[in-house]
Amino acid sequence: MPQAADPAPEVEEAEREVPPQESQLAKPRFLDAKVRLHRLLIEEIDLSAIEKVSAEELRAQIMQLVSAHVLDERLPLNAEELEDFCDEVCDEMTGLGPIEPLLKDPTVSDILINTHELVYVERFGQLEPTAVRFKDEAHLLRILNKIVAHVGRRVDESQPMVDARLEDGSRVNAVIRPLAVDGPLISIRKFSKKPFSMDKLVEIGSLRPQIAEVLAAAVRGRVSIVVSG
């Protein structure tokens, strides 16, 4: 008699993970529209007055222009997508573009930009891909220049490596062409607003329980400790 086939091996949870779905707003058509709209807004909005108006007033002005532009371009957006599109345009105007939501996300500790097409984040010690994309390399460089200009630095072919800080203290390291042959590489190390406890470090796998016990004993014993790295 034919033997029953062995049951299919269970698929590991990691193998079943589905990569983040690309938002409709990340599609080329909408990225192009966002960049065009950004240029129009620069022409129509007094940039020197941006800091003098509240975020709500600025958003209301941008929302009007975005809505009109969406109608002109016949972009198929529902109400929720229109709100998201407006938020993204606001981020382009006043923030750091596509990565602004990641900077506001308290669960993200690191942002790793591997050319304009790939953006990863670290959450709770685990690296994961995101659906965030830049329109092209020029778009990414524009955001990078906005970052470094804030601290009085520059990055170009003659100075392709730069270190900077964001307003909240987050550390930024960037490398561009010709050193980064495939395109700009940027890492942003965010500072946690809530310091990690020893138990939390053990929980997320950053510290082994045995090492935590040794460190705790060293502190209780008031012994000298050298931290390097």
Side-chain angles (χ1 to χ4, degrees):
M1 294 181 63
Q3 295 183 348
D6 293 335
E10 293 185 4
V11 180
E12 294 292 335
E13 189 67 29
E15 295 178 358
R16 289 201 297 264
E17 289 183 358
V18 179
Q21 293 187 350
E22 185 178 51
S23 163
Q24 178 173 221
L25 299 182
K27 294 179 179 178
R29 181 183 179 188
F30 294 95
L31 290 173
D32 289 341
K34 186 170 63 176
V35 171
R36 285 198 303 275
L37 183 53
H38 182 224
R39 291 173 183 155
L40 288 173
L41 288 170
I42 289 176
E43 295 175 1
E44 296 188 29
I45 292 180
D46 183 1
L47 296 181
S48 63
I50 283 182
E51 296 181 356
K52 300 176 183 177
V53 300
S54 67
E56 291 76 15
E57 291 175 319
L58 177 61
R59 193 179 189 285
Q61 292 183 39
I62 292 177
M63 187 65 174
Q64 289 181 344
L65 294 170
V66 168
S67 299
H69 186 75
V70 166
L71 289 175
D72 291 341
E73 294 264 339
R74 296 184 178 180
L75 299 177
L77 299 178
N78 58 36
E80 182 179 353
E81 290 169 338
L82 179 60
E83 287 280 337
D84 291 341
F85 191 63
C86 181
D87 288 339
E88 291 187 6
V89 174
C90 286
D91 288 340
E92 288 286 338
M93 292 293 296
T94 62
L96 297 180
I99 61 172
E100 191 68 29
L102 302 179
L103 293 169
K104 295 175 182 176
D105 187 341
T107 67
V108 172
S109 56
D110 282 272
I111 302 171
L112 305 174
I113 303 172
N114 192 357
T115 75
H116 68 279
E117 297 180 312
L118 294 172
V119 179
Y120 295 85
V121 296
E122 183 178 299
R123 285 189 175 95
F124 309 113
Q126 299 295 320
L127 201 62
E128 59 186 63
T130 73
V132 172
R133 300 289 182 272
F134 293 84
K135 177 181 181 294
D136 50 29
E137 188 170 320
H139 183 199
L140 175 53
L141 287 173
R142 186 166 68 247
I143 297 299
L144 175 58
N145 278 305
K146 185 183 291 189
I147 293 173
V148 300
H150 182 73
V151 293
R153 297 187 180 180
R154 65 184 179 87
V155 59
D156 52 35
E157 289 186 359
S158 64
Q159 190 173 322
M161 296 179 63
V162 67
D163 296 326
R165 285 185 182 273
L166 302 182
E167 290 185 15
D168 64 357
S170 298
R171 296 199 306 267
V172 181
N173 306 101
V175 183
I176 66 170
R177 299 179 191 272
L179 293 183
V181 294
D182 294 324
L185 305 174
I186 304 172
S187 68
I188 301 176
R189 168 61 60 87
K190 294 172 58 182
F191 285 100
S192 175
K193 292 180 173 58
K194 186 177 181 181
F196 285 109
S197 65
M198 189 80 78
D199 291 338
K200 187 64 177 179
L201 291 174
V202 172
E203 179 186 333
I204 64 177
S206 292
L207 200 64
R208 288 187 296 171
Q210 298 89 337
I211 300 299
E213 291 176 6
V214 170
L215 290 174
V219 172
R220 287 194 298 269
R222 302 179 66 83
V223 301
S224 298
I225 301 174
V226 177
V227 179
S228 66

